[in-house]
Amino acid sequence: MAKFNVVDMNGQHVSEIELSDAVFGITPNEKAVHIAVVNFLANQRQGTQNTKIRMEVSGGGKKPWRQKGTGRARQGSIRAAQWRHGGVVFAPKPRSYAKRMNNKEVKLAMRSALSAKLADGELVLVDDYGFEKPSTKAAVAMLKALGLEGKRLTIIVRDEDVNAYLSFRNIPKTFIITADEANTYDLVNNNAVLMPADIAAHFGEVLA
């Protein structure tokens, strides 16, 4: 178990926490992280694209001219793909882009992402956000004190901490999620991850 510093809203050291080596101290598996990110992005696609093929385009029921004797190329319909206003060849149709990973791979990817953040010095743990009321000004001051001002951040908040969510949500380049919503993509798509120490301990339990 490696010890990690926990700070307060002002960036002052307040305590230490022991982080699970099985979650925060492994050698990152880049392949698992890559697969998890590709799967996440694929699952965000709606797949609602739709273009008409020649049988769906209006008109074109009559053969434009007879098969032979005109000196022109034979044509069967003015709605064939080579005609203006014709249908599309191999037209995109509604489909699902969904991909799946097994649970062991999902956990390995998240462990790899957390371990990489810790190794790169891009993980910040606080004892508590401590917002008595929603305040973007206080949230900006907190990030400045923590040396995170202007960075692209993933901020993990507790489910019941509405004040923290409302305080951070209007700050540019910040993405706020709860522990249950955490995924590999959100953990790596940033310059730093900020979370309470108890959530880090929770990850150490559920991902081990």
Side-chain angles (χ1 to χ4, degrees):
M1 290 265 187
K3 290 187 176 181
F4 193 83
N5 291 335
V6 179
V7 297
D8 60 14
M9 293 181 64
N10 299 315
Q12 301 298 316
H13 176 269
V14 292
S15 64
E16 290 183 341
I17 183 176
E18 290 188 347
L19 298 178
S20 171
D21 291 334
V23 176
F24 292 89
I26 69 170
T27 300
N29 188 312
E30 294 183 5
K31 182 177 180 180
V33 173
H34 173 74
I35 293 174
V37 170
V38 169
N39 282 15
F40 177 85
L41 294 176
N43 292 337
Q44 303 308 300
R45 300 182 67 175
Q46 291 184 322
T48 56
Q49 71 280 15
N50 186 35
T51 304
K52 292 182 178 180
I53 59 177
R54 60 183 292 173
M55 68 176 289
E56 297 171 321
V57 178
S58 176
K62 180 182 178 182
K63 188 174 175 66
W65 49 78
R66 68 180 189 269
Q67 183 80 348
K68 293 179 175 293
T70 65
R72 290 178 289 186
R74 55 193 175 190
Q75 301 291 332
S77 170
I78 62 171
R79 291 299 178 251
Q82 70 271 20
W83 286 73
R84 182 169 178 262
H85 299 308
V88 177
V89 180
F90 305 128
K93 291 294 182 182
R95 54 163 291 192
S96 172
Y97 291 92
K99 295 178 181 289
R100 291 193 63 188
M101 292 177 67
N102 64 54
N103 289 336
K104 287 185 178 180
E105 286 182 310
V106 172
K107 289 185 176 182
L108 174 59
M110 289 191 65
R111 290 198 300 267
S112 297
L114 290 170
S115 295
K117 285 298 174 183
L118 180 60
D120 294 340
E122 296 180 349
L123 178 65
V124 179
L125 301 183
V126 295
D127 58 341
D128 187 30
Y129 292 124
F131 296 108
E132 296 181 357
K133 62 179 181 179
S135 173
T136 302
K137 182 177 180 180
V140 170
M142 176 183 178
L143 296 182
K144 185 175 183 179
L146 297 175
L148 301 175
E149 186 180 23
K151 291 185 177 181
R152 181 178 175 87
L153 299 174
T154 294
I155 301 176
I156 304 178
V157 301
R158 302 183 184 95
D159 292 338
E160 69 279 2
D161 198 349
V162 178
N163 287 341
Y165 171 78
L166 295 176
S167 298
F168 286 120
R169 68 174 180 174
N170 288 329
I171 302 176
K173 297 192 289 186
T174 59
F175 184 68
I176 302 97
I177 57 176
T178 63
D180 292 337
E181 296 170 330
N183 59 79
T184 303
Y185 178 79
D186 292 333
L187 292 176
V188 300
N189 187 34
N190 53 62
N191 299 124
V193 177
L194 174 65
M195 70 177 83
D198 58 341
I199 291 182
H202 170 71
F203 284 147
E205 295 174 0
V206 299
L207 297 177

